Amino acid sequence: MKMAVEACMLAGMAVGAIAPLAAQQAASQPARHWSIVVHGGAGVIARADLGPAAEAAYRASLAKATEAGAQVLDRGGSSLDAVEATINILEDDPLFNAGRGANFSAEGKNELDASIMDGSNLKAGAVADVTRTRHPISLARAVMEKSPHVLLVGAGADAFAARVGLEQVEPSFFFTESRWQSLVKQLQKEGRPVPPRPVGAPPPGPAVPVAQIDESEGSRRFGTVGVVALDRAGNIAAGTSTGGMQAKMPGRVGDSPIIGAGTYASNQSCAVSGTGTGEYFIRLGVAREVCNLVFFKGMKLQEAADQVIHKELEALHGDGGVIAITPDGQLAWSFNTPGMFRARQVEGGKMEIGVYSDEP
Ligand code: ASP
């Protein structure tokens, strides 16, 4: 438009003269449809280990969260709002490794990471190692919108959350029996010291079905959550939230809060959220790599996602997956693990939910 205006001015035409043409062009644009893709982590998810009850619980949780994001988009809300609303629900859901239900570090703490990015302006916000903020994704958004920075960590990030009025909780809010038992089991198996049960944790009780996934042989205990969305205005956004890898060293930061690694969004190419062993995702810059293949090589989104996950990530022996979306409505997911919790919905279409690799 700017170039058209400049061209008209050079040609000595009144700027107003091009208005009807621009209006005509806008009118001939096809109506944009919103769409949303959600993941709830990738890993060794085997039918026999998960069992029908847990599988049904995961599918129901994915449906509920995706529906919340879809409603935001259907009301004409922004992709950014849809990403945050969907992740808020998953952060409160103990089945997923984000917010309540997060993995524990080797010292028995929940240290939470999250990031969000707005594809319309490349603004981004991220937090790492937060321990008191109920919704780390909302804090990431606050960093983006209310601070001059992109990434805040630890106590400073929680203090900022309190200052901007985000709900603060006791660290034991994030405790779940299943993640705790899973940590204890791993540390015992590896002959490492088991930390004391966290202060404020409820007395030992039954674990939710998530434990069965965690204990399956070879599991990397994934369960990170992520969302990418396209709104009716044509803007895309991405967000990711996690408790990180189980039994991680205190202070370890994975890919999820690293812009370009676990999360990326640009209206010029695509929006991506990843899940997997974060160290590989950081080294490859996975999310940005997918978008670069779309932007520089002109690849279709699915081809780009598959190239990064099945060729580049695998070449490093990394594991995990991505979900992705483009402003022209291409949707993709790709993973090299036996399963990835995932869902997607396009305006006017039926919601699709998948868990195992043999599903579409
Ligand atoms: N990528 C996350 C991390 O490394 C873990 C995951 O996605 O499961 O912290």
Side-chain angles (χ1 to χ4, degrees):
M1 175 69 182
K2 186 166 172 276
M3 276 169 63
V5 170
E6 280 163 4
C8 290
M9 291 175 90
L10 279 176
M13 292 164 64
V15 171
I18 64 158
L21 179 62
Q24 249 175 34
Q25 279 170 347
S28 65
Q29 295 256 327
R32 291 180 196 271
H33 293 297
W34 58 257
S35 39
I36 183 166
V37 191
V38 176
H39 75 72
V44 180
I45 308 165
R47 276 193 177 81
D49 296 322
L50 189 57
E55 183 185 326
Y58 272 99
R59 286 183 191 271
S61 284
L62 285 167
K64 181 179 154 204
T66 307
E67 180 56 31
Q71 276 178 17
V72 170
L73 295 165
D74 208 47
R75 286 196 301 266
S78 71
S79 49
L80 209 55
D81 285 343
V83 166
E84 184 183 2
T86 309
I87 293 183
N88 279 168
I89 290 179
L90 295 166
E91 286 175 335
D92 279 345
D93 189 326
L95 289 182
F96 298 96
N97 170 23
R100 172 176 264 163
N103 280 334
F104 289 93
S105 73
E107 288 188 352
K109 296 213 173 91
N110 300 117
E111 298 180 347
L112 311 173
D113 301 342
S115 66
I116 196 163
M117 187 158 183
D118 181 345
S120 71
N121 53 20
L122 299 188
K123 287 190 177 164
V127 291
D129 281 355
V130 300
T131 58
R132 293 185 165 270
T133 303
R134 175 170 174 181
H135 289 124
I137 195 71
S138 300
L139 178 52
R141 185 166 180 178
V143 171
M144 174 172 85
E145 292 177 340
K146 298 179 180 163
S147 91
H149 306 302
V150 168
L151 174 60
L152 290 184
V153 305
D158 280 321
F160 176 68
R163 276 211 303 284
V164 296
L166 289 174
E167 186 177 347
Q168 299 296 285
V169 293
E170 286 303 315
S172 60
F173 172 87
F174 303 110
F175 179 96
T176 55
E177 192 62 39
S178 57
R179 298 286 182 197
W180 180 253
Q181 286 178 17
S182 182
L183 173 77
V184 171
K185 199 164 177 169
Q186 181 183 347
L187 293 175
Q188 282 171 344
K189 200 162 146 195
E190 294 172 4
R192 296 160 72 188
V194 175
R197 198 175 168 87
V199 177
V208 294
V210 68
Q212 290 173 21
I213 297 174
D214 288 348
E215 290 162 12
S216 63
E217 199 50 48
S219 166
R220 296 299 181 92
R221 295 156 286 274
F222 295 167
T224 292
V225 305
V227 179
V228 293
L230 163 66
D231 60 31
R232 285 211 190 101
N235 293 319
I236 55 175
T240 311
S241 184
T242 188
M245 305 297 286
Q246 177 170 281
K248 63 188 178 184
M249 287 172 64
R252 176 264 189 189
V253 177
D255 61 311
S256 306
I258 306 298
I259 298 300
T263 301
Y264 193 73
S266 166
N267 278 6
Q268 302 256 332
S269 51
C270 65
V272 175
S273 170
T275 175
T277 309
E279 282 69 13
Y280 297 96
F281 279 61
I282 294 173
R283 287 159 65 195
L284 278 174
V286 161
R288 182 73 200 255
E289 180 79 347
V290 173
C291 294
N292 280 350
L293 292 176
V294 169
F295 187 69
F296 292 112
K297 291 222 168 166
M299 280 189 188
K300 287 284 177 209
L301 188 65
Q302 187 66 53
E303 191 192 351
D306 287 342
Q307 153 86 21
V308 175
I309 295 300
H310 293 292
K311 299 217 169 91
E312 299 178 32
L313 185 64
E314 247 168 64
L316 292 185
H317 306 292
D319 47 5
V322 290
I323 53 170
I325 205 164
T326 59
D328 67 1
Q330 295 175 62
L331 312 182
W333 51 48
S334 185
F335 51 99
N336 67 357
T337 47
M340 179 164 87
F341 294 114
R342 59 200 188 274
R344 63 183 165 199
Q345 191 171 4
V346 175
E347 182 172 1
K350 207 170 153 290
M351 189 187 299
E352 291 170 71
I353 299 180
V355 175
Y356 308 108
S357 56
D358 56 9
E359 296 174 80

